[in-house]
Amino acid sequence: MSKDDCIFCKIANGEIPSATVYEDSICRVILDVNPANKGHALVIPKEHYDNIYSMDADTASKIFTIATEVAKAQKAELNPDGLNIVQNNGEVAGQTVFHFHMHVIPRYKGDNVNIKWLPEKPDSDELDALSKALRKRI
Ligand code: AMP
Ligand code: ZN
């Protein structure tokens, strides 16, 4: 999809109206139209990044800083019991809008949100080898 057809480019830059809870020169925070829970917000950069892999460190820091502010506002307003920050990259990971965004999802006891996986049990040699390989790349 080209940036011209990208719905989050249009929303982030104010060409399509949205339930905006915060805006500055870098990003807009909106309420999700189909929320997982009451207060589910999306932090969307105004610049188009398909996903996390193309995002620069400054924008990433800004996005996370704003997500922490959103979390605190949700806490003050909605008094949730917990919170998930979710950020999907690629279809296999559940990404449906291919303009980077960070979900800030308040959690309430007994809600219907399910973010769970079956834990694997790698041996310590495998963890060791992989940590060394990744360490070289950071
Ligand atoms: P993801 O699956 O991580 O790509 O998340 C996309 C999210 O965007 C979903 O939670 C949708 O409900 C939400 N969404 C899609 N279109 C809109 C829109 N026009 N306004 C607000 N949220 C939207
Ligand atoms: Zn876009």
Side-chain angles (χ1 to χ4, degrees):
M1 180 186 287
S2 85
K3 292 178 203 177
D4 293 341
D5 300 329
C6 173
I7 186 161
F8 277 12
C9 277
K10 294 194 171 98
I11 288 175
N13 291 289
E15 290 161 43
I16 293 178
S18 60
T20 294
V21 302
Y22 175 83
E23 185 193 0
D24 63 24
S25 61
I26 306 293
C27 69
R28 180 185 295 266
V29 182
I30 66 168
L31 293 181
D32 196 303
V33 271
N34 296 123
N37 252 344
K38 188 176 180 128
H40 180 171
L42 302 172
V43 186
I44 309 175
K46 290 189 170 178
E47 184 105 356
H48 181 96
Y49 303 92
D50 287 345
N51 52 44
I52 199 170
Y53 302 114
S54 54
M55 178 168 278
D56 61 280
D58 280 352
T59 307
S61 330
K62 176 74 191 210
I63 296 286
F64 195 74
T65 300
I66 296 306
T68 64
E69 293 300 316
V70 171
K72 289 170 193 168
Q74 290 167 334
K75 183 77 182 156
E77 184 66 26
L78 299 165
N79 195 29
D81 303 302
L83 171 89
N84 288 114
I85 302 261
V86 177
Q87 200 278 305
N88 300 323
N89 298 280
E91 249 176 75
V92 71
Q95 186 176 10
T96 58
V97 177
F98 293 88
H99 174 130
F100 178 101
H101 51 280
M102 186 173 275
H103 298 260
V104 187
I105 307 173
R107 296 297 306 272
Y108 306 94
K109 277 182 194 123
D111 68 21
N112 284 316
V113 181
N114 191 6
I115 302 171
K116 278 253 177 243
W117 53 85
L118 289 175
E120 298 188 346
K121 298 202 182 328
D123 61 35
S124 60
D125 286 351
E126 188 182 338
L127 289 178
D128 246 29
L130 186 53
S131 65
K132 286 195 179 85
L134 289 172
R135 183 186 280 251
K136 283 190 203 144
R137 293 186 180 273
I138 298 176

